[in-house]
Amino acid sequence: YKYRGNIMEMDRVISQNYFQSGLRVSIASTPTEKKQLISIRTEIYRQVGKHITQNIMSDIFDENALLVGVWKNDKPIASARIISLNPDDEWEHDRFIKWDKTLPDRTETAEVSRFCIIYHERSWNTIKALCFGISLAIVKTKRRYLLACCTDELVPFYKIFFGAKFTGHSILHSDLGPKIHHMFFCDYQLGMVGNEISIWAWLSLWPRPAYVGLKDKVFLFWIPEWRRKLFMIKCLIGVLGEPI
């Protein structure tokens, strides 16, 4: 898989940042780790009624996906997946919507799905860690936009913390139970440097992963170098403000 070469370095950076909180964030790099994350995903979705069969919750997209996990005491407690495919390939949401002008260009978009956290571990630290891992994984794909869907109760979360733009497409996702899901996308890299979301939402999640992406020069690569340096300074200041 074309992003595997970056996984060890990304894991090192992420793990350092979350070691003190007792959490480790990593992308599954072995069959065993992928199996563990798919297993915890199955358990979580079954508990909330979104997976009603006895089969493991997996599909054809898992094979080439980046599976992000949050680990506590060497056990996975949260997971999400990032899918980055060629424009002409079949994407997860192609079964439910027609790609039209309300959506960003497929060449610049990655799909995010299966965002889930074990019920008794649903703290802000876990949410922050999972979002951290997702953001750095998407950055590695060099895609500018993320596309996803969510149920009604999560609409405010994605609007506030991701600057999500809802497209008006409401779907019944055949893999996610009986609830209606709403499609959205966001220019997440701009949100990660504090554009299009409030200063408090930004400080809560994004300064540290944004700084890593800018430092590695895989983030906001379409803007001039001098602007990236200014954003790096802003993100360093933001890291100091995270405890607020």
Side-chain angles (χ1 to χ4, degrees), residues 30-90:
T30 67
T32 298
E33 288 180 344
K34 293 191 75 168
K35 184 177 179 180
Q36 287 178 317
L37 293 182
I38 291 172
S39 178
I40 199 67
R41 170 208 300 171
T42 303
E43 176 186 336
I44 295 168
Y45 274 80
R46 188 173 285 146
Q47 287 175 349
V48 297
K50 287 189 174 185
H51 185 67
I52 57 176
T53 74
Q54 295 303 310
N55 299 326
I56 201 76
M57 189 179 184
S58 184
D59 58 26
I60 60 173
F61 301 105
D62 279 326
E63 182 178 357
N64 290 322
L66 293 173
L67 300 188
V68 176
V70 179
W71 310 76
K72 183 177 182 181
N73 299 325
D74 294 325
K75 293 183 179 180
I77 62 171
S79 181
R81 76 176 180 188
I82 292 82
I83 307 169
S84 179
L85 297 171
N86 294 323
D88 296 333
D89 292 337
E90 179 189 359

Side-chain angles (χ1 to χ4, degrees), residues 8-40:
M8 293 304 294
E9 173 62 17
M10 180 161 56
D11 280 355
R12 183 187 67 80
V13 173
I14 298 173
S15 296
Q16 284 178 349
N17 291 321
Y18 281 95
F19 180 77
Q20 292 184 343
S21 66
L23 302 178
R24 177 175 65 88
V25 188
S26 65
I27 293 176
S29 58
T30 67
T32 298
E33 288 180 344
K34 293 191 75 168
K35 184 177 179 180
Q36 287 178 317
L37 293 182
I38 291 172
S39 178
I40 199 67

Side-chain angles (χ1 to χ4, degrees), residues 118-136:
I118 289 179
Y119 183 78
H120 62 272
E121 297 289 353
R122 291 180 184 175
S123 67
W124 185 249
N125 277 340
T126 308
I127 292 172
K128 184 176 179 179
L130 184 56
C131 289
F132 191 172
I134 290 169
S135 65
L136 292 184

